Amino acid sequence: MRDLLGPLADAWRAGERAGLATVTATWSSAPRQPGAAMLVRADGTAVGSVSGGCVEGAVYELCREVAESGEPRTVRFGVTDDDALGVGLPCGGAIELFVEPAGFPEVEMLAAEVAAERPVALVTGVAGRARGRHVVLTPGERYGTLGGDAIDEAATERGRVLLAAAQTAPVQLEPETTVLVTSFAPAARMLVFGAGDHAAAVARIGSFLGYRVTVCDARPVFATAGRFPGTEVVTEWPHRYLAAEAAAGRVDGRTAVCVLTHDPKFDVPVLEVALRLPLAYVGAMGSRRTHDGRLARLREAGLGAAELDRLSSPIGLDLGARTPQETAVSVAAEIVALRRRGSGRRLCDTSGPIHGGGMI
């Protein structure tokens, strides 16, 4: 949905007859999660995806039909679909979509809040008396209405809980009234300490994953914009920079820290700071021997077993990586596996659903 906000606001301003399809619920191995969306504009241009390709053609036509009729529709696609469209999901999962005429008065404010990297949520009524209505929530304000004070208050309370957790999910407010809360949190941060070739590769893949990446190194000869195009580069001692960012409230429980300095005078002090913070991930590069020596120094600095258990060292998953680029893939794979509670195993060696879904 994030990538659709600009075109969606443009369509609203132009008064276009456009259609918007949003995934509202999923079951089993559905390819996309709630909040995934497709916008079809008046000229036939399509932006976004709701299934990774399985039912895109059918959804495209539904968006055009809804744009023309002005009447929202709720549709479900599953592996056993035998409706007139003759389409389904070969993955074995199921998705439910809310298809509506695109554009609503609050969309411009929503787009502006997201562009300014301020936390904001869109609440869309997908069933019941809120159907087709929208509310935009910030941590302190509410814009729009779902049709009444009581339902607005309930949506605000539940929506802000999801916004604080940066989660998108369907929420049942009344027996027959369901809304989809789509959270737009500022991008999570990835702090890469060290400015070598491995850091350049990790910074690139971190940006690809959607992180706001900062590279920090105390050595100005390495910490240059030329080595890290398009990435924020800071010349500072790593532990001082991290401590200052934490004190300013600019790191949180979604932040990933990758220590790639491979030098005890840099990595031990910054790890001492990082492992005492409630971060999502702390990893450090080095051999087994380097790891053992690093642990000994951190114990001498007063870190306990619980803090040291949070350290991913040696960093990354065992992919047999050799090059900086391959190493970056192994680091990214470990971060994703921990964030999504994946096993890190080959999918062909596992069983059961690949993706989950449901309603909060």
Side-chain angles (χ1 to χ4, degrees):
M1 175 67 86
R2 183 183 295 268
D3 294 337
L4 272 61
L5 289 179
L8 188 59
D10 291 342
W12 166 255
R13 283 191 292 267
E16 288 184 17
R17 287 187 173 183
L20 176 67
T22 306
V23 177
T24 56
T26 65
W27 296 266
S28 191
S29 297
R32 301 297 302 274
Q33 294 301 299
M38 173 192 284
L39 172 68
V40 179
R41 299 191 63 174
D43 63 0
T45 302
V47 185
S49 170
V50 294
S51 72
C54 309
V55 297
E56 305 297 283
V59 175
Y60 177 90
E61 295 301 328
L62 283 168
C63 285
R64 302 208 72 172
E65 291 172 14
V66 168
E68 186 64 27
S69 70
E71 294 296 324
R73 292 181 60 182
T74 298
V75 296
R76 183 181 296 191
F77 294 99
V79 69
T80 59
D81 283 350
D82 59 356
D83 58 21
L85 293 170
V87 295
L89 300 179
C91 61
I95 60 173
E96 186 173 272
L97 304 172
F98 182 62
V99 189
E100 61 183 314
F104 42 92
E106 299 82 10
V107 67
E108 290 188 284
M109 191 273 286
L110 174 66
E113 292 294 298
V114 171
E117 296 193 349
R118 291 188 289 263
V120 63
L122 172 65
V123 182
T124 301
V126 299
R129 65 189 180 107
R131 182 179 173 86
R133 294 177 177 269
H134 303 85
V135 162
V136 173
L137 297 176
T138 69
E141 300 290 339
R142 180 178 71 227
Y143 303 87
T145 180
L146 297 175
D149 292 342
I151 196 171
D152 287 345
E153 290 298 329
T156 299
E157 180 181 355
R158 302 287 292 280
R160 284 189 177 140
V161 170
L162 289 171
L163 177 58
Q167 294 180 350
T168 292
V171 175
Q172 188 167 330
L173 298 179
E174 297 173 347
E176 296 183 356
T177 299
T178 302
V179 299
L180 177 71
V181 179
T182 305
S183 294
F184 299 89
R189 297 192 68 188
M190 175 181 285
L191 306 181
V192 180
F193 295 104
D197 290 342
H198 286 88
V202 169
R204 283 195 295 273
I205 203 166
S207 295
F208 178 75
L209 290 177
Y211 285 94
R212 181 165 72 88
V213 180
T214 301
V215 174
C216 175
D217 197 302
R219 300 163 296 182
V221 67
F222 296 119
T224 65
R227 290 172 66 89
F228 301 93
T231 301
E232 179 184 27
V233 181
V234 174
T235 305
E236 177 60 278
W237 278 80
H239 68 288
R240 293 175 183 167
Y241 176 73
L242 180 56
E245 291 299 285
R250 289 191 288 265
V251 298
D252 57 29
R254 300 180 300 143
T255 301
V257 166
C258 301
V259 179
L260 311 179
T261 49
H262 210 270
D263 185 331
K265 70 176 178 289
F266 294 119
D267 60 21
V268 171
V270 73
L271 286 172
E272 184 180 348
V273 175
L275 292 172
R276 287 179 168 140
L277 294 172
L279 307 176
Y281 176 86
V282 180
M285 178 175 286
S287 65
R288 302 286 183 187
R289 181 177 178 179
T290 298
H291 171 69
D292 291 341
R294 182 186 292 136
L295 287 182
R297 291 182 175 91
L298 290 170
R299 289 190 187 98
E300 291 174 1
L303 272 72
E307 293 163 323
L308 294 176
D309 284 346
R310 297 180 51 238
L311 176 61
S312 295
S313 173
I315 197 170
L317 297 185
D318 181 13
L319 305 183
R322 292 291 183 270
T323 68
Q325 292 76 20
E326 292 172 345
T327 300
V329 171
S330 79
V331 173
E334 182 178 39
I335 291 173
V336 172
L338 290 173
R339 184 175 66 186
R340 302 299 188 190
R341 296 183 175 89
S343 67
R345 298 168 57 198
R346 298 177 69 196
L347 287 174
C348 64
D349 293 332
T350 65
S351 60
I354 297 174
H355 307 292
M359 184 176 296
I360 293 179

